[in-house]
Structures are given as C-alpha cells and as structure tokens.
Amino acid sequence: MENNYHVCTGCSLLCDDIEVEYGTETINKIYTACRVGVAHMKESKEKVTFLVDNKPVDEEKALSETVKILKNAKNPLIFGLGASTNEAQKQAIELGKKINATIDDSSSFCFGSVVEALVTNKIKTCTLEDVRNKGDVIIFWGSNPADSHPRHLSKHSYFPRGSEKQRGWEEERTAIAIDIRKSHTAKICGNYFIQIPQGGDVELIDALISGLSGKLPKTSYNYPPKKILELANILKGAKFGIIFVGPGLIYSLENLAPLFRLMQALNEKSNFHLVPMVGNCNMRGFNENLFTETGYVNSVKFENGIVKHGSEYSIVESLKAKTVDAALIIGSDPFSSLPRSIAKSLLEIPIISMGPSETLTTKKAKVHINTAISGVESGGSAIRMDGTLVSFKPIVETKNPLEEYILKRIMEAL
Amino acid sequence: MDFGSFLAAPEIKVKVVTYRDIFQDKAMIENLFGDEYKHISAVITLDSADLKQLNVKKGDTVILKNSFGRVVVRAEESGYEPSHRGIAYMPKSSWSNMLVSDETCGKGIPRFQDISLTVTSAKGEKVTELEF
C-alpha cells in the first residue's frame, strides 16, 4: 500500500490533491475527492473486453474489423475525446488526417465558441489559482458548480483563503448566481441570486451594461431596476472579478456578441475575467490541440491535406444531413447526450466505440474496445477548464489497452 | 384554469428546464443501466399546484409528450424552489433528450433548454426503460 497525491480526472477541475490507498490493480480508499471523483476513480474494472457485434473477440479481430470499417468509409466521423489525454487526442487528430475524417467533440454544441474566444485572446481570462488568491466578485452565470464541479467553490472560487484574500468568503468575496432555476449554487449565493426567465440573459446583460453607465436598466420581464443597479455597483467595485460561464448562458445566446459587450463594459469600469465551466476533464485540451493543428477548436473536416471548418462538420449537423458513413466514438456516449431525434441517425452507420464503461453507444457499436481510464489507469496530461496544463501518472495498473495504443495500431494497420 | 383541466385525464402544458445533479453524475459513472441512475434521472419536478391540477401525487408516474417523443417518468414536488407553475425541472439525461427538438437552424446546437411538452397522469404505467 502506498500513499501519494494524485490527479482526479472526474471533471475539468483536475483536482491535484487526491490521496489514495491502493494495491496493484485496485483502489481501496480515496480521500479529498468529491462524490463524482470517487465514483470515477473506483470505476476501474479488471476485465479486458474486445467486442464485435457484442460478442467477445481478441484484439486482432477487433482491430481488423475497425480497419475494415474505416477503409470502407468515404467520410468517417471521429467524435468524443473529452475524457482522453492530450497524447491520445493528438493521435486521433493524426488518424483523422490520414482517413480524411470529420472530427468533432461535444464542445460544438456547448462551450466551443467560448473556448475559441479564449484561445484567440478575444476575452480576458485567468487561472483558478488567481481566483483563489485574488477573486473578490464571483459570478456563476448559468452554471451550477455545487453539482457539476463539486470542489469548485471549496477549492478555488468562494470558500478558500487566498494569498490576497485571507478573510475569505465571510468578508472578502461576493458570490452571485444568475440562473433560470434556483440551483444549489444559487442557494449558497443567498440574496445575490438573480432569477431570470428562460432566454432572459441577453436582456439582463444589456440592462447591466446600462446600469454600469448609470442609466436606468430595463428588461421586458420587469426585473427590478434597483436590484440591477445594486448589482452593477458591486461589479464596478470589483478588484478581481470572474464570470464562470455555464451551459445555461451559452444555450441562451444566439452568438457571443452580448458576452463580448458585457466583458468590455465591465473592464472599462473594473477588472473582470471569464472562465468556462467545461464539463469533461479534457474537452478544453481537445479544443486547444485541434486549434494548434488546424486553427479551429472543433467541427473540422480533413480532405486530402485541406482543412474545412463549419457547423456543417459538427456531429449534430453531420448526423442530420447524413453526411458521415461510419463513426469512431472515443470516450463519449452520443446516444445519451444528444437528442434522440438526432442520435437515431447513428443507427444507420457502423460504429466503433472506445471507452472504459458500458453505455448506450457501446451497446449499438459494431466494434467495442474497452480502454484504460485516463488518469486512473493511464498517465498523460490534460488541460484544465482555465487552460492550465496538468500532468498525471496512472494510479493502478490495468490490462486494458490505452486509447493512444489502439489509435496507433489502427494507424499502422491502415 | 386552462382547457386541459376539464379533460377526463387532466393535462397541463409546461416548459422544461434541465439541470445537472451530483448524485445523478455519480450514479451514471457507477452504472448507467442501474436502478439508482434511473431513479434519479427519469423524474420531473413540478410545482405543487401543477401536481394538484394533474391529480397526481408525488412519486406517481406521468406521461411527458411532445412531437419529438413520449416518455414516462416519476413526478416529484418542488422542494426549496420558489413557485414555478408552468415550468418543470428535469435532470439532463436520455429521458429529457427524448423530448428535445431536432431543429438547430444549421448551427449544430440542439435546443436543450427549449423543451415544451404536455404532462398527464400515467395511471400506473412504468417508467420508460433506458434503451435505444
């Protein structure tokens, strides 16, 4: 038995202070991690599985079937990779180039546009350490870390003491929740919860901008102007403000223009940063790795050395238009995460799935390969929600193959 | 009181707001096909006045229906949330995704937060199984 600090890859916080008691192939006890992190780290299973048509086969048979499907496809889709290491993501991008694939991840229907704005320096951002050490006004807009990133509030954004915030949340931090539902995070924010109607975000943004300029803020849903002015005054006084943007805000915006407007107005009066509440442990890594390679964060089509990009190459539009004729799905479950009305198109094409657990997608796959869990059974690196690179070692040994290894073998066989 | 209230089986229209839940995420990782995940995911939280109008008690099953799908889930009554008649809450899952529109305006982004549907009592019908 050994004791050591490890990284939890259960979400994009990538907490690096996890203590674990473990044997060679099993984790016995986990300290410090949240409920989700513990479940993730204990997910490790001993069985090695290669399936074709839901029947057990050996590695060679699974790989030969995989290669056959990809060779026969004119426009294969590579999708997922949000829970993969940077190393596996880069390998998948190389594979995409080789087979002229469409490549995408779940960011195309969530945070992709925000991450793109961050990597192209269109929005001011900061690290989670900056938030812990300096953050005084923290806004959770359409985000609910109490459920989605359980240690966010205690490790980084609200409760901890920081180097410049020694008196902590009791005196030095103001947390504000803006949402359409009173979430658990909103409960913690107490009187600083702004409940707006569905789709009311843009109006509140513009009302806040008015309030920041001392004008009378108005909304069609008659949110009390006095409360908006009070909020604007708090934001004006921020020495180090942060907006943690969640899917609730993203889904409410037609484009990012209102967010750019708000950040500009805030930074004319005070000092504000934005961090996206990315879900998967390395979705941001996929965006940044693909951006480095192609200049785009998602929804890319490789075609004989040319890179094409646009929403028509997103998983959703590719499935709706039925433009892809095979799918390699890595560490993702689009049958669960997409609307059924869209995911049903996947039933018409052969699917190869790779990942550590049984899902609706693995059940529908022609080929399934059980791979090691990144950060638990395999080492590597990932990019945290704030853009910080985090490296990790495997905690336990596994007989399950690494994603990177399988992707390399597919490349070789092709 | 709307027309639906006078039907033999009362029917109400609601807009659904989906959300994340830590217990659901944990249950999903442990076993997507397990009873715990189904219990936490296949559920709709309604305002107590809406439950009363439907003549449904908390824990009873209800039918959720729109032009994109039909699912049977468990009905729950709001706890700490302020009154929200006409708005219902569901954890984001395969069950809520069965009711999401395929309309995307070519942008690749489904309308996960724009779900309108009708709710009626399922009169004991079992919760829809997780399958595809």
Side-chain angles (χ1 to χ4, degrees):
Chain A
M1 189 182 80
E2 287 182 48
N3 259 335
N4 243 323
Y5 287 116
H6 292 277
V7 172
C8 172
T9 47
C11 78
S12 63
L13 282 183
L14 294 169
C15 295
D16 57 1
D17 57 351
I18 311 298
E19 280 189 83
V20 178
E21 287 179 17
Y22 52 91
T24 313
E25 290 184 5
T26 53
I27 291 176
N28 301 323
K29 282 189 178 175
I30 300 164
Y31 304 95
T32 335
C34 68
R35 192 176 286 271
V36 174
V38 169
H40 169 70
M41 293 168 95
K42 286 196 165 178
E43 196 186 357
S44 172
K45 293 176 185 74
E46 285 172 37
K47 66 172 184 179
V48 180
T49 315
F50 297 94
L51 301 173
V52 171
D53 293 325
N54 282 315
K55 292 187 184 109
V57 295
D58 62 14
E59 182 177 326
E60 296 310 314
K61 173 71 177 164
L63 281 170
S64 68
E65 278 295 322
T66 297
V67 169
K68 197 167 105 185
I69 291 168
L70 294 178
K71 270 187 176 169
N72 286 338
K74 287 187 181 138
N75 185 18
L77 168 72
I78 299 176
F79 177 77
L81 294 151
S84 305
T85 60
N86 286 326
E87 295 72 21
Q89 291 174 348
K90 288 173 188 170
Q91 193 70 46
I93 294 167
E94 284 308 307
L95 176 64
K97 282 188 203 166
K98 189 173 178 116
I99 60 175
N100 284 331
T102 295
I103 185 162
D104 193 28
D105 78 322
S106 56
S107 74
S108 66
F109 53 89
C110 199
F111 287 106
S113 56
V114 177
V115 175
E116 188 181 21
L118 291 171
V119 297
T120 52
N121 298 315
K122 287 181 185 149
I123 299 183
K124 191 159 126 182
T125 188
C126 64
T127 67
L128 293 174
E129 283 73 24
D130 290 332
V131 179
R132 181 167 63 230
N133 290 327
K134 298 186 258 187
D136 58 354
V137 177
I138 299 107
I139 303 176
F140 300 104
W141 199 318
S143 62
N144 173 24
D147 281 280
S148 63
H149 301 76
R151 296 187 68 211
H152 193 282
L153 293 151
S154 61
K155 191 170 190 292
H156 298 287
S157 59
Y158 187 47
F159 293 113
R161 299 293 188 259
S163 61
E164 295 176 32
K165 287 283 163 278
Q166 285 297 306
R167 294 197 300 280
W169 66 277
E170 300 96 319
E171 295 179 41
E172 291 183 308
R173 295 195 210 269
T174 305
I176 297 156
I178 301 172
D179 214 326
I180 55 177
R181 169 181 168 265
K182 189 171 184 179
S183 65
H184 291 125
T185 304
K187 275 176 85 175
I188 292 165
C189 294
N191 289 333
Y192 294 114
F193 169 46
I194 317 288
Q195 188 163 19
I196 55 174
Q198 263 182 316
D201 301 77
V202 175
E203 280 193 59
L204 184 66
I205 285 174
D206 287 329
L208 264 175
I209 293 170
S210 296
L212 287 166
S213 319
K215 293 176 194 158
L216 185 69
K218 286 179 189 168
T219 57
S220 65
Y221 44 87
N222 296 322
Y223 199 87
K226 196 180 160 197
K227 286 196 171 181
I228 297 176
L229 284 170
E230 278 171 15
L231 179 61
N233 277 334
I234 293 170
L235 306 191
K236 262 197 245 183
K239 289 191 175 128
F240 198 100
I242 308 99
I243 303 178
F244 287 104
V245 173
L249 174 58
I250 300 301
Y251 290 137
S252 176
L253 302 177
E254 288 288 317
N255 56 55
L256 292 189
L259 207 49
F260 291 142
R261 283 202 297 275
L262 178 64
M263 289 303 288
Q264 190 184 342
L266 285 170
N267 280 306
E268 282 167 7
K269 306 283 179 189
S270 57
N271 177 28
F272 259 86
H273 310 78
L274 185 143
V275 175
M277 295 293 283
V278 171
N280 291 330
C281 73
N282 202 21
M283 190 204 85
R284 178 137 185 192
F286 175 81
N287 293 151
E288 296 205 7
N289 288 319
L290 192 65
F291 183 80
T292 302
E293 198 60 44
T294 67
Y296 304 106
V297 297
N298 54 31
S299 308
V300 157
K301 161 76 178 158
F302 293 109
E303 204 165 272
N304 303 319
I306 297 168
V307 175
K308 295 180 172 179
H309 166 73
S311 54
E312 65 270 36
Y313 304 116
S314 67
I315 183 171
V316 167
E317 299 304 332
S318 297
L319 290 178
K320 282 183 69 180
K322 300 183 195 289
T323 51
V324 288
D325 53 0
L328 171 58
I329 294 167
I330 303 168
S332 185
D333 184 17
F335 278 97
S336 288
S337 59
L338 287 178
R340 182 157 291 214
S341 52
I342 294 167
K344 65 184 181 189
S345 295
L346 278 166
L347 295 171
E348 297 169 25
I349 60 176
I351 297 167
I352 305 144
S353 73
M354 286 166 53
S357 49
E358 190 181 32
T359 64
L360 284 173
T361 302
T362 65
K363 284 189 169 191
K364 294 293 175 190
K366 172 80 179 167
V367 181
H368 173 63
I369 299 171
N370 226 30
T371 47
I373 306 167
S374 306
V376 179
E377 299 171 324
S378 77
S381 62
I383 298 181
R384 210 167 60 176
M385 63 162 66
D386 60 348
T388 300
L389 181 72
V390 178
S391 297
F392 41 81
K393 292 176 185 168
I395 303 170
V396 289
E397 292 173 10
T398 180
K399 294 185 181 72
N400 286 316
L402 309 188
E403 287 175 352
E404 207 181 338
Y405 162 79
I406 294 291
L407 289 164
K408 267 185 194 158
R409 288 220 55 199
I410 296 170
M411 286 278 275
E412 285 162 9
L414 281 163
Chain B
M1 193 168 279
D2 62 45
F3 175 75
S5 309
F6 298 100
L7 297 174
E11 178 181 290
I12 60 165
K13 287 180 182 170
V14 295
K15 281 198 157 198
V16 171
V17 172
T18 57
Y19 63 92
R20 291 273 302 269
D21 177 272
I22 180 174
F23 297 98
Q24 183 204 19
D25 284 355
K26 172 242 171 205
M28 182 179 72
I29 293 167
E30 288 177 345
N31 185 2
L32 180 71
F33 301 99
D35 289 340
E36 187 185 358
Y37 180 69
K38 185 170 148 186
H39 184 78
I40 299 172
S41 304
V43 62
I44 187 164
T45 301
L46 294 160
D47 188 89
S48 55
D50 283 337
L51 273 178
K52 197 174 169 190
Q53 190 179 344
L54 283 169
N55 197 20
V56 162
K57 294 189 194 73
K58 82 178 193 188
D60 288 353
T61 54
V62 288
I63 299 165
L64 312 182
K65 200 161 71 171
N66 63 16
S67 54
F68 306 101
R70 174 194 187 274
V71 289
V72 178
V73 299
R74 203 165 42 80
E76 273 299 333
E77 186 177 340
S78 284
Y80 64 84
E81 294 100 340
S83 171
H84 56 96
R85 279 202 85 172
I87 306 280
Y89 303 133
M90 281 184 88
K92 191 173 183 302
S93 72
S94 284
W95 285 273
S96 66
N97 278 338
M98 285 185 218
L99 302 157
V100 178
S101 163
D102 61 354
E103 182 49 64
T104 56
C105 299
K107 291 183 175 177
I109 305 173
R111 294 178 175 174
F112 288 111
Q113 292 289 26
D114 185 15
I115 309 173
S116 295
L117 47 81
T118 58
V119 190
T120 50
S121 167
K123 295 174 183 168
E125 190 178 339
K126 284 188 179 167
V127 167
T128 304
E129 290 296 329
L130 181 59
E131 56 195 7
F132 209 105

